[in-house]
Amino acid sequence: MGIDLELLHKIKGLIECPNPDKDIRRFDANLRLFPPFIDNDLCPLTIKNTLLQSCYLRNTEWACGVAVYTGNETKLGMSRGIPEPKLTAVDAMIDKLTGAIFVFQIVVVMVLGVAGNVWKDTEARKQWYVLYPEEGPWYELLVIPLRFELLCSIMIPISIKVSLDLVKSLYAKFIDWDNEMIDQETCTPAHATNTAISEDLGQVEYILTDKTGTLTENKMIFRRCCINGIFYGNENGNALKDEELINAVASGSSDVIRFLTVMAVCNTVIPVRSKSGSILYKAQSQDEDALVHAAALLHMVFVNKNSNTLEIKFNASTIQYEALEILEFTSDRKRMSVVVKDCQNGRIILLSKGADEAILPYASAGQQTRTFIEAVDQYAQLGLRTLCLAWRELKEEEYREWSLMFKEASSTLVDREWRLAEVCQRLEHDFEVLGVTAIEDRLQDGVPETIETLRKAGINFWMLTGDKQNTAIQIALSCNFISPEPKGQLLLIDGKTEDEVRRSLERVLLTMRITTSEPKDVAFAIDGWSLEIALKHYRKDFTELAILSRTAICCRVTPSQKAQLVEILKSCDYRTLAIGDGGNDVRMIQQADIGVGISGREGLQAARAADYSIGKFRFLKRLILVHGRYSYNRTAFLSQYSFYKSLVVCFIQIFFSFVSGVSGTSLFNSVSLMAYNVFYTSVPVLVSVLDKDLNEDTVMQHPQILFYCQAGRLLNPSTFAGWFGRSLFHAIVVFVISIHAYAYEKSETEEVSMVALSGCIWLQAFVMTLETNSFTILQHLAVWGNLAAFYIINWIFSAIPSSGMYTIMFRLCRQPSYWMTMLLIVAAGMGPILALKYFRYTYRPSKINTLQQAERLGGPILSIGSIEPQPRTIENDVSPLSITQPKNRNPIFEPLLSDSPNSTRRSFGSGAPFDFFQSQSRLSTSNYSRNCKDN
């Protein structure tokens, strides 16, 4: 097909379009072409006629178009904006600790400032060598406090943010470089788009997952069908090999022929003929691709689509249809229809396919649909995806009248989608239902094992899908999402009215409360309609239900409902992870604390919008248990160590003020302070990103230990108080020993300063050694090489006369007392720390200590039992939902409560799922209090 370029340049017209917006799903506009081409006629434009910025044009050699929006006014440009930053739990805790240190710093400055001024007025003026003037300027009272402010300014390490950003970038690279997370089938590696939230992966409490393409392969295979009440494929599980169906096609059964016609024609598939002559189908939906392929295997072959002409080959004959209108699928209508005209006899036919609730209620009055309802239920029980097919012959006058309304609705610029749905409803009724198709979507490899492992890690699962309830339930059973009776119990929430939903919700809540003492996995399932009512009118009750239940199946839900469910869990201060593979999962992924996209068959929309992208669902286990846990552990250590090393020097400065007349004089010179933070102590900390407290295999075998990350055991006010106390103790040790060792020798202040600084560096090296779990050559070089570099740098400065440190280090290193002082500082500073560590490791070991010991001894550990978390109270803006654990615990967990004897919230076990479901989530209403936002 050619085009006259001269004629193209003469085209004149007008495009009526709305103001620029960021909705990439809609473009409601009209095109008016001026004479002599079309006499001011309206041509409606939709998103189907629009090529968005940065999109690729496929299956098309060329296109002529008009630029409607440009630059920042394109839909992509309007959508960019500034993404809302995601604050991790670790970052939030660091901010709180920084605030506490800042308050402490202000108090210290005020106290020492007042003490300094008092000492100056009472004692300093009596000393002739101080030379204070009798009368000073008006700001004299502020001088000493400001000096102490400068001394204490290093109490909050400014470099901590830079260090964290650097190591978090390395965490992201570790994910990118992980060869065990490469999907060998598609050669798709894991990728971290967001480099700032890796530690949150180790604190995930809820995973909200899509079903199709996420848990399943999204490889649709046509398995069974029911045509006019006759079931095909029930015996061998493959309708395409069913002799009865093959014979019906060969004999030209009218019901079967019409059924296959709808399968082949009612779609948006584009057939493309390859160089070898075979036909390839380009489909947006995997369901449509499966139906068209199945029709082709049954000799109803869709061979060509030229403009509005559809060409079908059935056996040896060719059938042509003219596509008059396409009634596109929407999530509200849940069906798609095509109006075609048979080019042989001129009949106008409406072909439709869709969900059973979108087709069967609109069947003609005389048709019995009971068989089709039974077929849908039967196929859903097998976990198959169902579609109902129907058609209706239209009268020409009816079509002509309806076409005018459809054209008018298509050209309106206001509420076009709503108007189109109303007009489509006028045509989509009185169907002759032809049958039901059943398509299989197999589970991905490793999905059941992944879900079971992550459940042992104490992670709750919610399935949010657009499929039928029965289909979703069967998939949930097959992938260990829920347990079958008698181990599990599934409660249904359904209803079409507010009253029905309220009663159903109350019944499920009551059952949840009274089954708290039973070792049973209790889950609930709810459909989209009931969920809409529950979220609108009974949000508080539904939130309570969300807290009580670890497992939920939400069916027939829209993208906006998925996002609302994520928001509800986030409002209860749970760390959420959302995972999906399609464009309908993007809102859910962006709403969650962590978004994971699967690079699947539905494109890369979810993967590009997510914080992390993986090739298959099974890689989620490694992403959370290995990368998430290691990232949290390393970040917790790095952040607290950064405070520790700054506080040590700051406390030494404070102690020095007591022997320098509380004057705010600094013991260390500015060069030493700068080098301390930039060179002497930063390199060993950064290399801590290679530290592993346990081997990867051990972590994967014992996922229960993820609880230490989920509960924030490694970074909280208690652990920070320990580091704060350690810094105070080490500062006392360094200052007292340095002063006593060199003050009696009447050494210069510069020598005492260097001795104190040397003591700090030696302690840092041994603290890093003590806190490191797994040493590599790089870590040894960083710790001990850094200690050697300290002396080399100071020897160089000591050789420069103008440095202010001339010959100091040379003199100190020649003195045996200097090395004895270093030995004494290390012994006095590390001795109590080592004793404390030995006592805790020997007499009160944690589960992690037990596993570390097993790794060193090389012996296996069959089970480390469960781990009890501490209760957590969250105060938000709604009236409290009082929920507590039952007093009757499962005896499986009783011997394993030593980690937290007073805890009452959850238990994470390593046995069968229902063993630890009971104590994790079967909560009743007394002393466990959680307040949630009533959004």
Side-chain angles (χ1 to χ4, degrees), residues 44-151:
L45 302 178
T46 67
I47 196 66
K48 297 294 183 182
N49 312 113
T50 308
L51 188 64
L52 299 178
Q53 181 187 9
S54 300
C55 288
Y56 293 95
L57 193 63
R58 293 179 179 175
N59 306 318
T60 305
E61 295 181 4
W62 54 265
C64 298
V66 177
V68 181
Y69 305 123
T70 59
N72 289 330
E73 291 187 348
T74 62
K75 290 185 178 291
L76 184 61
M78 299 286 288
S79 299
R80 285 193 189 105
I82 301 176
E84 182 180 350
K86 293 185 176 182
L87 184 68
T88 67
V90 170
D91 288 335
M93 180 57 66
I94 291 174
D95 291 344
K96 293 177 182 178
L97 297 176
T98 302
I101 291 295
F102 178 74
V103 172
F104 174 74
Q105 174 185 326
I106 296 299
V107 172
V108 169
V109 168
M110 292 176 63
V111 171
L112 292 180
V114 171
N117 282 317
V118 170
W119 190 89
K120 180 184 69 174
D121 292 335
T122 57
E123 299 294 334
R125 297 187 190 281
K126 300 177 182 178
Q127 310 299 328
W128 62 269
Y129 54 83
V130 177
L131 298 178
Y132 270 121
E134 292 296 330
E135 292 186 4
W138 61 271
Y139 55 82
E140 185 177 10
L141 290 175
L142 299 177
V143 172
I144 293 179
L146 289 176
R147 286 178 183 173
F148 278 109
E149 176 59 33
L150 290 175
L151 290 181

Side-chain angles (χ1 to χ4, degrees), residues 58 183 185-186 188-189 210-219 283-284 286 441 444 579-583 585 589 596-608 610 612-617 619:
R58 293 179 179 175
D183 181 16
E185 182 181 346
T186 60
T188 303
D210 179 40
K211 183 184 75 67
T212 304
T214 304
L215 301 177
T216 61
E217 293 181 345
N218 205 12
K219 292 180 180 178
Q284 295 179 350
Q286 297 297 320
D441 187 11
Q444 293 181 19
I579 180 170
D581 72 314
D585 302 317
I589 287 172
V596 179
I598 291 183
S599 304
R601 296 174 177 269
E602 292 192 16
L604 299 175
Q605 293 183 28
R608 288 173 177 169
Y612 301 91
S613 63
I614 55 179
K616 288 288 188 292
F617 183 85
F619 298 134

